[in-house]
Amino acid sequence: MSWFDRLKRGLGKTRDVLATEGVSVENPWEMDWDDLEFALIGADVGAHIASEVVIEARKERERGRSFAESLEKALLDQLEPDRIRQKLRRVGFSLDVSRNMVEFAGKVIMVVGVNGVGKTTTIAKLAQYYRSYGKSIMFAAGDTFRAAATAQLEEWGHRLDVPTITGPDGSDPAAVAFDAAQARRARGVDLLIVDTAGRLHTKHNLMEELKKVKRVIGKADEGEPKEVWLVIDAVTGQNGLEQARRFNQAVGVTGVIVTKLDGSAKGGILLPIARELGLPIKFIGVGERPDDLQPYDAAAFVHALLDLPVEAA
Ligand SMILES: Nc1nc2c(ncn2[C@@H]2O[C@H](COP(=O)(O)OP(=O)(O)O)[C@@H](O)[C@H]2O)c(=O)[nH]1
Ligand SMILES: [Mg+2]
């Protein structure tokens, strides 16, 4: 199965929500715009963006494009990094959207997010991804709060043959991160991926802990971590936005990974993440297997969502 087919399969549920409301390529001519707006809200794009998409799609439709083309263009307008950048610039923001996910300056990626969103699984997927490009990887088991968490990452480490730096259960996650950052430098490993705890995200404690983890990584390796990636579970829908705001405030998120798009009808969450938060989406997860992680590509995403052919992507 090609990656595009996997993406399509992964977005099936969101597509079903749209199809229930009559939004499909097979049904391109008759479209009730209110139904479209409703379907988009159902897919969790948020009321504001849903209305923007409909307005834009109607304009395109009136210019004589097919319904599918109109919708595609309107969705892309919300998701394409260049277009988002333009919009943000207009309101005074700048956004560094890195398209090349293989070559980036950072040596350490700190992965954050609430429990159960898929951090540890995503870390394993990232290791697989970067290794396929020839990079050497190391893990830091920074979720020391849960007994099983370290074991889970170690297990992935064994399976993928990635050295994993651990500490005793309940130990200071910052100490684990510090050791790991030093070990990465000493051993000349290309990339250290740091797992973190995700409990108590509404409480002060976790955020203070994460700030400390970030700080000590910088002590062991100046300027790192250059990347702090937030994992959001698509199933949580609009809640993910609130999580993103909190984590961003605490540790300065540089990128987002949206997981479980396969298990969710809320694929629309990518729109407000991309647009309202201005945070670049780095990867999307569309399944539990190590290769069910893909660099984010707005055109491919929209095409898979609408079940359009890949060549136009
Ligand atoms: N369907 C699906 N399941 C996923 C995906 N990513 C992670 N999971 C599952 O989500 C559950 C929690 O993942 P885990 O990595 O332990 O989350 P963590 O608590 O954030 O570290 C596990 O059962 C994973 O297999 C995904 O993209 N799709
Ligand atoms: Mg975990």
Side-chain angles (χ1 to χ4, degrees):
M1 202 189 277
S2 74
W3 68 270
F4 185 73
D5 287 331
R6 278 201 302 274
L7 177 61
K8 263 185 167 175
R9 187 194 60 190
L11 291 172
K13 284 199 183 168
T14 298
R15 199 166 48 238
D16 288 349
V17 168
L18 297 178
T20 314
E21 305 298 334
V23 182
S24 81
V25 188
E26 289 78 45
N27 177 21
W29 301 109
E30 290 315 316
M31 186 60 214
D32 181 321
W33 297 106
D34 289 340
D35 284 349
L36 172 62
E37 192 163 340
F38 192 70
L40 288 168
I41 292 170
D44 240 346
V45 308
H48 176 67
I49 290 180
S51 114
E52 277 189 19
V53 169
V54 169
I55 288 167
E56 188 62 30
R58 285 183 85 149
K59 269 193 222 153
E60 295 300 328
R61 186 81 183 90
E62 278 153 24
R63 285 182 196 134
R65 287 181 195 266
S66 74
F67 173 73
E69 281 171 348
S70 305
L71 180 56
E72 182 200 354
K73 195 164 177 308
L75 285 171
L76 263 182
D77 206 45
Q78 302 283 345
L79 286 162
E80 177 63 52
D82 281 342
R83 296 186 213 179
I84 294 165
R85 202 166 14 204
Q86 277 172 10
K87 280 184 211 262
L88 289 176
R89 220 175 359 238
R90 250 179 267 139
V91 291
F93 283 100
S94 68
L95 176 64
D96 174 31
V97 182
S98 88
R99 284 169 169 282
N100 184 338
M101 291 313 302
V102 181
E103 297 306 326
F104 56 88
K107 300 285 186 193
V108 182
I109 302 171
M110 181 174 159
V111 177
V112 300
V114 306
N115 262 355
V117 290
K119 287 185 298 301
T120 307
T121 312
T122 299
I123 287 169
K125 292 175 180 175
L126 287 170
Q128 167 107 343
Y129 179 83
Y130 284 112
R131 242 228 320 248
S132 75
Y133 287 95
K135 289 192 184 281
S136 54
I137 317 285
M138 182 183 272
F139 290 153
D143 184 358
T144 57
F145 290 107
R146 288 187 305 155
T150 294
Q152 187 192 354
L153 189 65
E154 267 188 313
E155 171 63 29
W156 276 115
H158 285 309
R159 245 188 273 176
L160 300 170
D161 199 20
V162 171
T164 307
I165 307 296
T166 64
D169 285 342
S171 65
D172 184 356
V176 177
F178 184 81
D179 287 349
Q182 278 195 327
R184 186 209 67 75
R185 285 183 62 189
R187 298 187 206 173
V189 169
D190 295 325
L191 194 59
L192 168 67
I193 311 178
V194 181
D195 198 5
T196 61
R199 206 170 39 125
L200 305 175
H201 76 284
T202 53
K203 304 247 171 72
H204 185 65
N205 274 357
L206 175 66
M207 292 306 166
E208 287 309 312
E209 199 67 69
L210 292 175
K211 283 184 198 169
K212 187 174 163 197
V213 168
K214 189 181 176 192
R215 214 162 47 230
V216 303
I217 292 171
K219 287 205 174 118
D221 195 351
E222 211 188 317
E224 297 292 345
K226 290 200 181 60
E227 302 291 340
V228 178
W229 291 353
L230 172 71
V231 179
I232 293 178
D233 175 345
V235 181
T236 60
Q238 291 278 319
N239 229 335
L241 277 187
E242 189 48 36
Q243 292 168 16
R245 286 196 188 95
R246 283 173 193 278
F247 280 95
N248 194 22
Q249 209 169 26
V251 284
V253 172
T254 63
V256 173
I257 298 176
V258 182
T259 57
K260 307 191 198 180
L261 278 163
D262 54 308
S264 168
K266 310 280 191 184
I269 192 66
L270 266 81
L271 281 78
I273 289 172
R275 247 303 285 295
E276 284 172 20
L277 297 179
L279 292 173
I281 297 163
K282 301 285 185 183
F283 289 91
I284 59 176
V286 290
E288 290 182 276
R289 292 182 355 204
D291 54 355
D292 287 331
L293 181 81
Q294 302 177 351
Y296 171 66
D297 174 332
F301 182 81
V302 170
H303 281 238
L305 191 64
L306 300 178
D307 219 355
L308 296 171
V310 68
E311 58 272 10

